[in-house]
Structures are given as structure tokens and as C-alpha cells.
């Protein structure tokens, strides 16, 4: 048994709580009660202790209570130690539905998936500078974007067709995000509508726009989102023409199902299960992405969007400056999770260029490859106003539904708070370029 830690060296001054924790630790270590069931109950009590106990929550009991399947894969959302553990769990769940093509769809980048992987790997090129002797027991993770307060800077990215991973699609993800105070951007082509998602979220979600190549449809989509209270339209600009989603195509070959029931050719058929298009005449649409869009399209859209207009997919300082000239309110630095072009360029690597180009006039958000609370901190340090996750929350959704998304967000929040404390940042504003060094 570990020796009790002297009170004065603990970061937590709540003596009552420490006494309880010590007692629980003592019980857990006692040979009289240390059966797996008792240990697991104690672990869940320890895990449920409030944020004040975070500094101590990385308790040895946490892992000893885990039940892994014979394949070493987690069997409950609460057992995950990091977001990566949801990936094999999600794969298992999707393959159990005999849907390898859906798995390929989620995982795929383009060509050799080099850009997809570069997004995450590039975070290792930034090191974090710890700061000592700062009382960081109370940490405020909230951010303010366009006057909205988000409890956490981590938001859910638009991911189309969530219905392939959960019966309620975006509604389930929104419920989890809303309860934890995270914002969410709903994809135009999710199965759930912006109205239902906003209701489940508890406050209006943002709407990602694929405008199509028919202006009347663009207008109808924007009005539908605004009628649901949506304060921000996020136009995705990184999908010109086709793409080579090789990983998807490879997995598709393994899929034995007849997919024509859902994937019937023709735009109207394609969007017939996409709630945001319900009742909209799409007979003149030939393309979802509005291929051929130019800055004059941004001007035209600016003219009808009543709330905030953001561009998603900007990856150069020059385009960021152009966006300013066209009255855009915010940018989301993104390469579509490595699903647009195989540039090899990680989003974190171009963030500083874009932040410097806009010079604080509009908020710059980022996504791509974010898998740890330390990644979140690094992106904020370089100048992001908020940080999005795509695949990780879908892994949570596909494997365990709402509890899966909840746990993914909880893990990232916990990791983020932990690293904030170690850098002496008491609020997000105190995370600055000095917080990181580039290797
Ligand atoms: C399966 C899948 C579907 C996506 N669908 C959309 C979409 O409908 N609209 C959009 O703007 N971005 C879409 N994205 C890109 C995400 O919004 C986001 O940029 C990306 O997933 C972030 O990278 P990450 O997955 O590494 O976290 C999609 C990504 C994935 C993985």
C-alpha cells in the first residue's frame, strides 16, 4: 500500500475530501475488500468526485477496474483512458453491422492518407513550456466566440451522415455536447435537421453549408438554419470537384451488402435521407459542393446571411486576408481532416500564418488531428480561438452512442485542464505563443 501523502504537499486544501479519498484508497488496498467488484465501485466513486479532485483523479484504481474484451478493446465508454481507445471499439461496432464501407468512409483521407495523418503528427513539433509555482486549482476553460460563451474551446466538427453510426445521428452527438457545454457545427448532409439538433443541444448549433450549385437551394438552406436560431453559417470551401478516398474505396470492396437502397444515384435520391433538404426543391441541383464557387459567391452569400459567416477550409494567409476583404466574420483552418487535397500540410503548421494575416480582427478556429488536451492547448497557444474534433467523437458515437461522445469530451476536457494547470494558465486568455516552442 502506498504511504499516505502528507497534507501540506497536496494541491487540494479540502481536508474532508482528502480524508474521504484516503479512506477509499485504504479500503481498496485492503485484502479484505479488494475484490474486483469492490475495487470497481471504489474507482467509480473516486472518478465521480468533483473537479476539485482532478489533480488526484489519475488514480491507480481507475485502470484496475477496467473490463476489456478478449480482444483488448474497451467494452464501456467509461473504461476509455484516452480518445484513441474509441477507434478500435468503433471499428468493432461498425464491422459487427457488416458495414466495412461505413468504416472506410469515416477513416478515409485522400490518396495515401498522408495529410490525414500529418494533421495529428504535426502537434508533436510543438513543445509545451510548463510554469511553476502558480496556484492553478481554479481554472476557467471557457471561451467567448461572437458573444457566445462556450464552457470549453473544444467543439464538434460537421461530419456528414452520422446516421451511419447512430440511429439519431447528429441529435445524439448534440445531446452529449450540449450537456457538457460544447458547441457543435452540424453538417448540411447530416441525417438530422438543424432544428432537432439545436433542440437536443439546448442552444442553437452552428450550421455548415454545402451550398449546392442552385442559388434557390442555398437560400432555402440558410433560411432554414436561421429559422432554427442558428447564429453562424460555416461555408465549406475546400471541396472542388472529386477526390480519391482510397481507404473508403478499399473497404467498400469488402462490403457484401446491397447498398443501392440508400445510395441511389441522382442528387434528389442522395439527399432524400438528409433532413435539412426536406421540402426543398432540389431538381435543378447537380452538385452538393457548389463546385465553381469564387469570392463573388462569398459576397452573394454574405448578402443573405443575417448572422455570422465563416469560411471552413482556409489554409493560407493570403486567402485569410481575402476573406477579410469580403466581410467574413471568422475562419476555420481546416483541410477537411485530410479528406480534401493530399497536400501533406498539417493544419497546425499553417495556423500562425493565418492568425497573423487577420491580426485579431476575426476569430480563427482550427480542426484536424486533435486527439489530446495538449493538442488543444498548443492550437490555442498558436492563436486559435477554438479547436474542433471530427473523427474522435464519431468513434465515441459509433461505439457507445451518447455516453461515448460524452466520454470523449470528458477525456479531452480533463486532459486540457490538466495541461492548463501545468502551464499556470488560469484561463484561456493566458495561453499565449510563449506557452509553446516549435521543435
Ligand atoms: C466522415 C467525415 C465526414 C465529414 N463531413 C463533413 C461535412 O459534411 N462538412 C464539412 O465541412 N466537413 C466534413 N468533414 C470534415 C470535418 O468537419 C473536420 O474538418 C475533420 O474531421 C477534422 O479532422 P479530424 O477528423 O482529424 O478531427 C468530415 C469528416 C469526416 C471524417
Amino acid at each position: 500500500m502506498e504511504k499516505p501523502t502528507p497534507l501540506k504537499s497536496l494541491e487540494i486544501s479540502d481536508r474532508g475530501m482528502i480524508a474521504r479519498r484516503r479512506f477509499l484508497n485504504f479500503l481498496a488496498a485492503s485484502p479484505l475488500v479488494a475484490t474486483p467488484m469492490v475495487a470497481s465501485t471504489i474507482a467509480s466513486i473516486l472518478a465521480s468526485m468533483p473537479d476539485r479532485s482532478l489533480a488526484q483523479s489519475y488514480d491507480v484504481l481507475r485502470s484496475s477496474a477496467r473490463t476489456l474484451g478478449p480482444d483488448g478493446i474497451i467494452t464501456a465508454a467509461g473504461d476509455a483512458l484516452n480518445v484513441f481507445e474509441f477507434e478500435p471499439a468503433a471499428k468493432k461496432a461498425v464491422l459487427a453491422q457488416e458495414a466495412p464501407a461505413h468504416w472506410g468512409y469515416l477513416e478515409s483521407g485522400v490518396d495515401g492518407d498522408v495529410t490525414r495523418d500529418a494533421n495529428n503528427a504535426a502537434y508533436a513539433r510543438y513543445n509545451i513550456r510548463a510554469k511553476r509555482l502558480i496556484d492553478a486549482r481554479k481554472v476557467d476553460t471557457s471561451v467567448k466566440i461572437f458573444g457566445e460563451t462556450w464552457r470549453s474551446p473544444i467543439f464538434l466538427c460537421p461530419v456528414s451522415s452520422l446516421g451511419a453510426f447512430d440511429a439519431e445521428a447528429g441529435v445524439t452527438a448534440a445531446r452529449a455536447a450540449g450537456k457538457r457545454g460544447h458547441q457543435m457545427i452540424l453538417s448540411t448532409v447530416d441525417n438530422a435537421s438543424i432544428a432537432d439538433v439545436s433542440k437536443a443541444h439546448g442552444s442553437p448549433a452552428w450550421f455548415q453549408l454545402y451550398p449546392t450549385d442552385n442559388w434557390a437551394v442555398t437560400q432555402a438552406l440558410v433560411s432554414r438554419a436561421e429559422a432554427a436560431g442558428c447564429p453562424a453559417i460555416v461555408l465549406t470551401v475546400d471541396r472542388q470537384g472529386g477526390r480519391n478516398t482510397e481507404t473508403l474505396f478499399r473497404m467498400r470492396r469488402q462490403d457484401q451488402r446491397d447498398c443501392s437502397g440508400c445510395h441511389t444515384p441522382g442528387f434528389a435520391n442522395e439527399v432524400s435521407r438528409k433532413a435539412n433538404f426536406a421540402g426543398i426543391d432540389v431538381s435543378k441541383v447537380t452538385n452538393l459542393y457548389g463546385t465553381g464557387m469564387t469570392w463573388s459567391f462569398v459576397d452573394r452569400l454574405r448578402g443573405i446571411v443575417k448572422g455570422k459567416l465563416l469560411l471552413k477550409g482556409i489554409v493560407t494567409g493570403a486567402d485569410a486576408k481575402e476573406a477579410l476583404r469580403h466581410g467574413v466574420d471568422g475562419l476555420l483552418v481546416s483541410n477537411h481532416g485530410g479528406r480534401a487535397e493530399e497536400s501533406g500540410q498539417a493544419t497546425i503548421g499553417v495556423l500562425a500564418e493565418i492568425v497573423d494575416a487577420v491580426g485579431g480582427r476575426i476569430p480563427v478556429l482550427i480542426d484536424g488531428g486533435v486527439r489530446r488536451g495538449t493538442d488543444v492547448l498548443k492550437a490555442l497557444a498558436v492563436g486559435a480561438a477554438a479547436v474542433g474534433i471530427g473523427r474522435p467523437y464519431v468513434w465515441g458515437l459509433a461505439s457507445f452512442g451518447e455516453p461515448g461522445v460524452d466520454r470523449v469530451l470528458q477525456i479531452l476536457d480533463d486532459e486540457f485542464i490538466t495541461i492548463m494547470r501545468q502551464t499556470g494558465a488560469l484561463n484561456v486568455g493566458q495561453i499565449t505563443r510563449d506557452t509553446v516552442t516549435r521543435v
Side-chain angles (χ1 to χ4, degrees):
M1 192 174 88
E2 266 180 36
K3 274 210 258 166
T5 322
L7 265 184
K8 63 178 176 198
S9 73
L10 288 173
E11 295 172 63
I12 297 161
S13 60
D14 183 336
R15 283 164 189 257
M17 189 177 71
I18 290 165
R20 275 201 306 285
R21 183 173 280 283
R22 274 189 184 164
F23 178 64
L24 288 167
N25 278 324
F26 167 77
L27 269 187
S30 160
L32 290 175
V33 292
T35 63
M37 217 180 83
V38 173
S40 132
T41 312
I42 294 170
S44 60
I45 296 170
L46 284 166
S48 70
M49 283 178 147
D51 177 50
R52 287 174 305 150
S53 65
L54 184 76
Q56 297 232 65
S57 71
Y58 293 113
D59 209 293
V60 286
L61 279 174
R62 243 191 192 191
S63 47
S64 65
R66 293 200 330 156
T67 36
L68 298 180
D71 45 12
I73 294 175
I74 52 167
T75 56
D79 285 341
L81 294 174
N82 57 48
V83 304
F84 298 101
E85 290 190 334
F86 284 98
E87 189 176 11
K91 181 176 185 183
K92 190 171 149 185
V94 175
L95 296 188
Q97 294 163 9
E98 299 182 347
H102 288 175
W103 182 248
Y105 174 65
L106 178 60
E107 293 295 90
S108 201
V110 286
D111 295 358
D113 297 334
V114 172
T115 313
R116 177 197 69 182
D117 297 341
N119 275 342
N120 177 250
Y123 278 98
R125 285 190 221 123
Y126 294 80
N127 287 347
I128 292 169
R129 286 153 63 83
K131 223 169 176 179
R132 309 300 185 204
L133 294 161
I134 289 170
D135 179 353
R137 285 171 295 183
K138 278 202 172 68
V139 165
D140 177 2
T141 60
S142 68
V143 289
K144 212 168 195 180
I145 316 270
F146 303 135
E148 277 181 11
T149 301
W150 303 356
R151 204 190 53 74
S152 162
I154 303 163
F155 64 90
L156 301 191
C157 289
V159 170
S160 54
S161 309
L162 289 175
F165 308 105
D166 181 273
E168 285 190 280
V171 162
T172 305
R175 211 177 283 128
K179 280 182 192 159
R180 288 200 163 272
H182 291 254
Q183 185 52 288
M184 165 171 185
I185 308 177
L186 181 72
S187 167
T188 305
V189 276
D190 189 39
N191 305 82
S193 73
I194 182 69
D196 289 347
V197 161
S198 292
K199 198 166 150 219
H201 186 257
S203 64
W206 289 11
F207 186 70
Q208 176 270 327
L209 180 68
Y210 282 138
T212 78
D213 54 359
N214 182 296
W215 180 246
V217 175
T218 310
Q219 284 177 304
L221 288 168
V222 170
S223 333
R224 171 161 284 167
E226 289 181 342
C230 172
I233 301 289
V234 183
L235 175 71
T236 297
V237 294
D238 58 16
R239 289 295 322 279
Q240 293 276 12
R243 60 180 178 178
N244 178 28
T245 46
E246 217 170 279
T247 294
L248 163 61
F249 300 147
R250 197 171 301 117
M251 297 292 287
R252 170 70 185 91
R253 289 179 179 172
Q254 296 170 25
D255 208 311
Q256 302 298 315
R257 298 166 305 156
D258 172 12
C259 301
S260 59
C262 293
H263 300 281
T264 321
F267 189 79
N269 292 323
E270 252 177 59
V271 295
S272 62
R273 289 162 299 108
K274 314 292 184 176
N276 292 308
F277 286 93
I280 298 177
D281 175 9
V282 294
S283 57
K284 295 197 181 70
V285 175
T286 64
N287 190 291
L288 173 68
Y289 309 107
T291 300
M293 273 193 293
T294 61
W295 288 103
S296 56
F297 180 84
V298 174
D299 294 338
R300 199 175 184 195
L301 187 64
R302 174 73 284 178
I304 63 160
V305 170
K306 296 190 189 76
K308 303 297 181 189
L309 175 64
L310 293 92
L311 299 185
K312 176 174 187 279
I314 296 295
V315 286
T316 65
D319 277 350
K321 281 190 176 145
E322 198 62 25
L324 277 179
R325 276 195 285 277
H326 290 269
V328 165
D329 300 298
L331 298 175
L332 174 40
V333 176
S334 174
N335 53 27
H336 222 106
R339 298 160 75 83
E341 62 281 325
E342 186 74 308
S343 62
Q345 175 62 63
T347 51
I348 185 69
V350 293
L351 178 62
E353 174 185 332
I354 291 159
V355 167
D356 294 345
V358 304
R361 276 167 285 180
I362 56 173
V364 177
L365 292 70
I366 187 171
D367 71 29
V370 173
R371 304 290 181 263
R372 288 279 187 189
T374 47
D375 299 339
V376 175
L377 180 112
K378 289 172 184 181
L380 293 172
V382 177
V387 182
I389 54 166
R391 295 179 184 88
Y393 84 85
V394 190
W395 297 335
L397 183 73
S399 50
F400 304 109
E402 185 182 334
V405 181
D406 176 72
R407 180 74 184 133
V408 163
L409 290 173
Q410 182 189 34
I411 287 171
L412 291 175
D413 279 343
D414 279 359
E415 288 179 352
F416 177 54
I417 290 173
T418 303
I419 193 63
M420 275 184 80
R421 287 203 170 107
Q422 290 299 107
T423 56
L426 306 185
N427 55 57
V428 168
Q430 290 178 356
I431 302 169
T432 64
R433 288 223 175 138
D434 283 347
T435 312
V436 289
T437 49
R438 185 134 188 203
V439 185

